Amino acid sequence: MLFAHDTEANLRAAADLVNTARRRDGTDALASVADVAAYRARWLYTGPHGGDAAELVAVRAARDRVGTLWGADRDAAADAVNAMLRDARAVPSLVRHDHMDWHLHATADDAPLASVVLAETALAAADLVRSDEWDRMGTCAADDCTAVLVDLSRNRSRRFCDVNGCGNRAHVAAYRARRAGREDA
């Protein structure tokens, strides 16, 4: 593990959130209150859950802000992280709950989901900035994909997103090209 487990989880959750709007088929996977509830449950966010249209709007706005991190250089990312922490009124604390050992929560227990997403993403991104690992924030290498990714591999070899099946498509295309080359020979 390169980073603390909560840092890695929050970075993956951030990429997942951003990718709800970057699907190759053009659909938005964060289009309903139920989609927000599913995202919240998938990434084990705690705290109040509004379950209403206002929360959907707020989480989508958070998604837009989080998405800007992938286009930023390290210095701009530091500024964005600081702004997110300020705006979310981050007050980090160590907590342990459910099956998770000690990890950081970045907001008060009653903070709205959008604030929690911003603050916890910002704390995780801060780890990348301060350890000079910002280049782990990337975009999918597929020509027809704009999805984002976080390369947490030891050898920095991750090139494709998880959301659009791009890695599999690239590997199949390479296999077919090799096979066609053998048949031509």
Side-chain angles (χ1 to χ4, degrees), residues 72-81 128-135:
D73 65 22
R74 185 172 171 231
D75 292 338
D79 291 338
V81 163
L128 293 180
V129 170
R130 64 193 181 104
S131 62
D132 198 14
E133 296 283 344
W134 190 250
D135 58 344

Side-chain angles (χ1 to χ4, degrees), residues 3 34 39 46 54 81 108 131:
F3 300 99
Y39 173 78
T46 58
V81 163
S131 62

Side-chain angles (χ1 to χ4, degrees), residues 11-96:
L11 291 170
R12 287 185 178 107
D16 183 38
L17 178 64
V18 171
N19 286 336
T20 61
R22 297 184 182 218
R23 304 209 180 274
R24 282 185 42 234
D25 64 5
T27 62
D28 187 340
L30 195 64
S32 70
V33 170
D35 294 337
V36 172
Y39 173 78
R40 180 182 181 273
R42 184 169 52 253
W43 293 104
L44 304 175
Y45 284 108
T46 58
H49 173 47
D52 56 19
E55 183 178 64
L56 172 62
V57 169
V59 172
R60 288 177 68 144
R63 173 181 68 184
D64 293 343
R65 284 189 73 185
V66 169
T68 65
L69 291 173
W70 272 267
D73 65 22
R74 185 172 171 231
D75 292 338
D79 291 338
V81 163
N82 287 335
M84 287 180 191
L85 290 170
R86 273 191 308 275
D87 293 348
R89 295 188 172 106
V91 182
S93 59
L94 284 168
V95 297
R96 181 169 41 189

